[in-house]
Amino acid sequence: MTTAGRPRLTTKKRQGETAREEILDAAAELFTTRGYTNTSTRMIAEAVGMRQASLYHHFANKDELLDSLLSGTVDEPLAVAQALRDSDARPEVKMYALALFDADQLGRSRWNLGALYLLPELRDDRFETFRGHRYALMDLYREIASSMLADKRLTAMPGAEDLPFRLVETVVNRRADIEAGHSAPHGDHARVIAESAVRVLGWSGELESVHARAVELVDEHARDGRILAR
Amino acid sequence: MTTAGRPRLTTKKRQGETAREEILDAAAELFTTRGYTNTSTRMIAEAVGMRQASLYHHFANKDELLDSLLSGTVDEPLAVAQALRDSDARPEVKMYALALFDADQLGRSRWNLGALYLLPELRDDRFETFRGHRYALMDLYREIASSMLADKRLTAMPGAEDLPFRLVETVVNRRADIEAGHSAPHGDHARVIAESAVRVLGWSGELESVHARAVELVDEHARDGRILAR
DNA sequence: ATTATCTATAGATCTATAGATAATGC
DNA sequence: ATTATCTATAGATCTATAGATAATGC
């Protein structure tokens, strides 16, 4: 059983249900291994098993490819962050849960797309969609961090509200160095990050029960988030 | 008073004592604002006020430009880290001092070159020099972190030795977001990072005296380092 | 009729080299 | 003689569009 349209010359080379997904998968691999500007549309097409011009049936241009990929990495954590903010959990549990979910996701995704977050090219208006979503996520991290710091028993330096988000994004750097063979992987890195995220805000209480409660919350909201995203 | 060689058509546009420095300064600006592959040698030459082909009198190719710039960002912290390791200060002071110096430098350098550390292009052998230096710095962070953790009163999670280096590199991300207008600058961010670097390793003692002692050490060794670098 | 592919190509780059030229330095 | 620039260009790209073709769907 085939589908409409002229058949490809090559047999399928990529995972993905639709042509769009095959293309995104190939582009993600090439962008993360060779760089964005350094990857030509011809290389992407070749990795998919189609002709260069055929890509343009699915994407208006190369930028749209990158914008789709990057937006895809932020949408799920963003949904989870909103759900967590609106939940009635304790602030340190929310913070821990968000960091845990996000760090885990950044560490396990098929390609390390986070390594492209700092590309100067992204400043361009064409990537407005992605930037907007990432900044929304950043603001939610800040909001949850601030709600923790409202508890005056926590003594964090002014400026510390920024750190949890930054700490989570270090998963990307670490992963890049692991892939380059210069850091060792470690079973539960997301947990290290989540613990640090609350510690840098001055939390000095125990972490066992925070962890347990956060895992419950994440399971719950990640499910909702995933339903939203599909 | 002029120098040897045919004169340029344009008058000087760039800061720098030598043509080499002028070129590096222009390249740094363009690489950090437009991206590496997306910046042509023609644009660099234009920003310097010379013809495209003239660049090749000073650099063998475009990669050498990037390698020089990136190596330049690591050499000084590397010298400081070695001096600190070999000093007889207490481990938490060494860690704090290194993070303080490095974070400060990353935050104040003329261009945010650290934003290019994750470029996939850097995996190539051509950038071996830079990669080697950055990994040497990373290993020194780990070594100093481990010497702190040798004190059994500190209770950090396994895997935490990696965090100080990662935390310091977040200065780069933060600075990129500030330049994009989406984070507010903050007077003493390097200090926030240094404090966090020892906190994530489980240090729960006071920080005033650690800070004071670290500042002394940095002043001392940064001076030596700078002499080495020039 | 609609869809997804194909072939062909215009037009715009871009890097690096060859060789000429205009200064200073000896 | 040496140095730092210049002009000119070869050869290799690269993105996006125009228009043809080969399927399915109705």
Side-chain angles (χ1 to χ4, degrees):
Chain A
M1 186 176 95
T2 62
T3 51
R6 183 171 173 174
R8 291 190 197 158
L9 291 172
T10 326
T11 56
K12 197 160 171 295
K13 290 179 160 183
R14 277 284 157 181
Q15 76 173 44
E17 299 271 298
T18 61
R20 194 185 159 86
E21 284 172 15
E22 292 172 72
I23 293 167
L24 286 171
D25 186 60
E29 172 162 23
L30 289 163
F31 291 167
T32 53
T33 52
R34 305 185 28 97
Y36 175 61
T37 316
N38 209 30
T39 296
S40 66
T41 52
R42 177 174 301 277
M43 290 172 196
I44 299 169
E46 207 159 282
V48 173
M50 58 169 51
R51 300 303 188 151
Q52 184 257 348
S54 304
L55 297 178
Y56 288 80
H57 184 69
H58 303 279
F59 295 91
N61 50 49
K62 199 181 157 188
D63 297 332
E64 203 183 291
L65 264 173
L66 182 57
D67 194 48
S68 295
L69 284 169
L70 294 182
S71 299
T73 66
V74 186
D75 289 346
E76 224 185 317
L78 189 54
V80 170
Q82 277 156 349
L84 283 170
R85 178 197 46 194
D86 301 336
S87 80
D88 53 4
R90 299 172 47 91
E92 69 275 11
V93 173
K94 292 182 185 184
M95 185 78 261
Y96 188 106
L98 177 54
L100 188 68
F101 174 80
D102 202 3
D104 183 63
Q105 195 225 221
L106 283 171
R108 299 172 103 89
S109 56
R110 186 162 150 82
W111 307 107
N112 193 18
L113 287 162
L116 306 176
Y117 286 168
L118 289 186
L119 283 183
E121 287 89 332
L122 299 180
R123 291 183 191 169
D124 198 289
D125 285 343
R126 300 165 293 176
F127 299 103
E128 187 56 46
T129 307
F130 161 67
R131 282 210 315 280
H133 288 199
R134 176 163 171 272
Y135 286 138
L137 179 60
M138 189 165 107
D139 290 342
L140 284 166
Y141 267 92
R142 282 217 192 93
E143 195 181 328
I144 294 176
S146 298
S147 73
M148 260 185 83
L149 295 179
D151 180 339
K152 289 301 170 203
R153 283 166 303 180
L154 296 189
T155 54
M157 286 195 75
E161 318 82 65
D162 215 34
L163 295 176
F165 179 73
R166 301 297 172 196
L167 260 174
V168 169
E169 283 196 346
T170 66
V171 170
V172 163
N173 300 48
R174 180 164 198 275
R175 186 169 162 184
D177 288 326
I178 289 171
E179 284 168 10
H182 227 276
S183 276
H186 172 273
D188 213 356
H189 189 62
R191 188 167 179 169
V192 178
I193 294 291
E195 295 201 358
S196 303
V198 295
R199 288 284 186 227
V200 294
L201 295 175
W203 176 261
S204 55
E206 55 80 37
L207 287 165
E208 280 299 325
S209 72
V210 173
H211 178 79
R213 183 76 191 97
V215 168
E216 283 174 35
L217 261 182
V218 163
D219 283 351
E220 195 178 308
H221 293 305
R223 212 181 327 107
D224 303 350
R226 226 171 270 133
I227 287 161
L228 271 173
R230 303 283 146 108
Chain B
M1 184 179 93
T2 60
T3 49
R6 182 171 175 175
R8 291 190 197 158
L9 292 173
T10 326
T11 57
K12 198 161 171 296
K13 291 179 160 184
R14 278 283 156 180
Q15 77 174 42
E17 299 271 297
T18 60
R20 192 185 160 86
E21 284 171 15
E22 293 173 70
I23 293 167
L24 286 171
D25 185 59
E29 172 163 22
L30 289 163
F31 291 167
T32 52
T33 53
R34 307 185 26 96
Y36 175 61
T37 317
N38 208 31
T39 296
S40 67
T41 52
R42 178 174 300 276
M43 290 173 197
I44 298 169
E46 207 158 281
V48 173
M50 58 169 48
R51 302 301 189 153
Q52 184 258 349
S54 303
L55 298 178
Y56 290 79
H57 185 69
H58 303 279
F59 295 90
N61 50 49
K62 199 181 157 189
D63 297 331
E64 202 182 291
L65 264 172
L66 182 58
D67 194 47
S68 295
L69 284 169
L70 294 181
S71 299
T73 67
V74 186
D75 289 345
E76 224 186 314
L78 189 55
V80 170
Q82 276 155 350
L84 283 169
R85 178 198 46 194
D86 301 337
S87 81
D88 52 4
R90 299 171 48 90
E92 68 276 10
V93 173
K94 293 182 184 183
M95 186 78 261
Y96 188 107
L98 177 54
L100 188 69
F101 173 81
D102 201 2
D104 184 64
Q105 195 226 221
L106 284 172
R108 298 172 103 90
S109 57
R110 185 164 151 81
W111 307 108
N112 193 19
L113 288 161
L116 306 176
Y117 286 167
L118 289 186
L119 282 183
E121 287 89 332
L122 299 179
R123 292 186 190 165
D124 198 287
D125 284 344
R126 300 165 293 175
F127 299 103
E128 187 56 46
T129 307
F130 161 67
R131 280 211 316 279
H133 288 199
R134 177 164 171 273
Y135 286 138
L137 180 60
M138 188 165 108
D139 289 342
L140 284 166
Y141 267 93
R142 282 216 193 93
E143 193 180 330
I144 295 176
S146 298
S147 73
M148 262 186 82
L149 294 179
D151 179 341
K152 288 303 170 206
R153 282 166 304 179
L154 297 189
T155 53
M157 284 195 75
E161 319 83 64
D162 214 33
L163 295 176
F165 179 73
R166 301 297 171 193
L167 260 174
V168 169
E169 282 197 347
T170 66
V171 169
V172 163
N173 300 47
R174 180 164 197 275
R175 186 169 164 184
D177 288 326
I178 288 170
E179 285 168 9
H182 227 275
S183 275
H186 172 273
D188 213 355
H189 189 63
R191 188 167 179 169
V192 178
I193 294 291
E195 294 201 358
S196 303
V198 294
R199 288 286 185 225
V200 296
L201 295 175
W203 175 261
S204 55
E206 55 81 37
L207 287 165
E208 279 300 323
S209 72
V210 173
H211 178 80
R213 184 73 193 98
V215 168
E216 284 174 34
L217 260 182
V218 163
D219 283 352
E220 195 177 308
H221 293 304
R223 211 183 328 108
D224 303 351
R226 225 170 269 132
I227 287 161
L228 272 173
R230 304 280 146 110

